Amino acid sequence: MNNEFVRYLKKRLIKLALHVFWLFPIEDNKISLLNELSFTYGDSLKYFDRFIHSNKKNEFQVVFPVKKESESSEYEDDIIVRPMSMQYFRQLITSRVIITNAGGVSYLPKRKGQIIISTWHGGGPYKKTGTDVYKNPWYKKQAKMNSDNTDYILSSCKSFSEIEAPSMGYSINQIIPAGLPRNDVLFVNHDEINNKVRKALGISNDTKFVLFAPTFRSKGNEFSNMSVAKDYIELDTDRLIKGLEEKYGCKWACGVRLHPKLANIDMSSLNVVNCTSYPDMQELLCCADAVISDYSSLIWDYSFTYRPIFLYAPDIEMYEKERGFYMPSSEWPYPIAHDNDEMEKVIIEFDSESYIQRVKEHHKVADSYEKGTACNILLRLIEK
């Protein structure tokens, strides 16, 4: 049976059944924050939770679903619920505002007076998404359920607004030029975060830190059929560290943060720091002196630090053919390596001054909305 049809049918049935919670009134000050990618305390929802408590303390009641019983939020007054529990559904359906980093919580029967906002979970004009990738007609129906249920989606740049958001069914009236709330932290001083991360990872202050964070690969064109084509790390981390130390004349450590679908890979034989379980990617980015990735949206986030980004992408031609990019990879400002020889070469030849100019031009071409004010824009949106 078609997997996407099953997902669509489940959402329709759940949506129908959840009307029973309309018996409970909407609470005007209640906001539910959903990190739907992992149901952990993280991503833009975590940073907006912090912003609310710093600027509007006691004015809102925050609901934050997390899947692990051992995990909570940073605030005792937040209501913590388990995803997909009866309490979860009741809290969401009685919230005046629901903010998610994925779709529009399409399985919820939206009520009059409710506002549903998506922060989305990736920025920049990079890999294609939505119906530009997943052609299954039942996926398209789910995408329409999402967009129909959503009042607003935050956009990181004009390229996202004009190309990527429409691929998910959003109209221009739903798109808010704001940037990503999780990226606000990249525009402020990082010293405290840097010390925190280094202490947690065991990296001394006199050692430079490079973070390797590859993205996942999809198999086929069904969203529910995600898998990782690579089940190993091809990057020669010893050679990488040696190249960086030769280039910059100081000691370097390499941290590796894998996508959750790759988290079971054994890295014990590698000369790396395993960062996969570290709970906050943005804090890792604040700490990193350089980043190596491929097509992950973290390259958009990290570009606002103007520190070096190197792309290790042995399969870039295949990836571009099978999934595609909104902006050709040849127009990205980041040096691209197809193998370990090329990685060593781009590091040795890296010129910081010209790189920074290319990144600034990239932000200009994409017409970036990132200014470190996304949380404030989001707050004004729900208060209006």
Side-chain angles (χ1 to χ4, degrees), residues 95 106 126 132 135 185 238 251 259 310 336 366 376 384:
S95 295
S106 57
Y126 305 125
D132 288 339
K135 306 299 184 181
V185 70
D238 287 333
K251 186 178 179 181
H259 188 272
F310 303 101
I336 300 175
N376 189 47
K384 73 175 185 179

Side-chain angles (χ1 to χ4, degrees), residues 65 103 110 129 181-182 208 217 243 281 295 305 319 334 377:
K110 185 181 176 185
T129 190
R182 72 186 188 202
K208 295 286 188 179
R217 303 293 189 273
M281 170 59 93
Y295 326 114
T305 69
Y319 193 91
Y334 322 112
I377 292 172

Side-chain angles (χ1 to χ4, degrees), residues 84-257:
M84 305 304 159
S85 65
M86 288 298 104
Q87 185 68 0
Y88 167 84
F89 291 123
R90 176 173 174 171
Q91 293 294 345
L92 264 60
I93 292 174
T94 57
S95 295
R96 185 179 70 85
V97 178
I98 300 171
I99 304 176
T100 172
N101 61 352
V105 205
S106 57
Y107 50 83
L108 285 184
K110 185 181 176 185
R111 305 170 70 174
K112 184 178 180 180
Q114 279 189 318
I115 301 172
I116 298 180
I117 302 170
S118 173
T119 66
W120 200 235
H121 53 268
Y126 305 125
K127 58 189 178 185
K128 290 184 178 180
T129 190
T131 56
D132 288 339
V133 178
Y134 308 109
K135 306 299 184 181
N136 188 300
W138 294 105
Y139 171 83
K140 293 181 179 181
K141 287 181 179 292
Q142 292 174 72
K144 189 175 189 310
M145 286 177 67
N146 281 334
S147 58
D148 286 349
N149 228 29
T150 305
D151 292 283
Y152 306 106
I153 182 170
L154 304 191
S155 172
S156 61
C157 62
K158 191 174 182 179
S159 294
F160 180 94
S161 299
E162 293 182 343
I163 304 173
E164 190 167 349
S167 78
M168 296 180 282
Y170 296 103
S171 69
I172 191 66
N173 294 329
Q174 293 172 284
I175 300 169
I176 304 298
L180 303 181
R182 72 186 188 202
N183 285 344
D184 287 359
V185 70
L186 299 173
F187 290 82
V188 298
N189 185 279
H190 303 153
D191 289 348
E192 185 176 342
I193 295 174
N194 182 55
N195 292 333
K196 172 187 173 183
V197 174
R198 286 177 174 273
K199 182 178 180 180
L201 299 180
I203 300 173
S204 63
N205 288 329
D206 61 353
T207 299
K208 295 286 188 179
F209 172 51
V210 58
L211 178 67
F212 174 46
T215 190
F216 66 82
R217 303 293 189 273
S218 61
K219 183 178 181 180
N221 65 356
E222 291 190 9
F223 184 76
S224 59
N225 192 25
M226 292 296 186
S227 66
V228 179
K230 292 182 178 181
D231 58 358
Y232 58 96
I233 300 172
E234 291 181 341
L235 182 66
D236 187 335
T237 52
D238 287 333
R239 190 172 174 183
L240 167 68
I241 293 170
K242 182 180 178 182
L244 288 167
E245 291 180 344
E246 289 180 0
K247 171 69 175 179
Y248 293 99
C250 57
K251 186 178 179 181
W252 282 75
C254 178
V256 177
R257 183 181 177 87

Side-chain angles (χ1 to χ4, degrees), residues 46 259 262 286 310:
K46 169 183 175 178
H259 188 272
L262 283 171
C286 287
F310 303 101

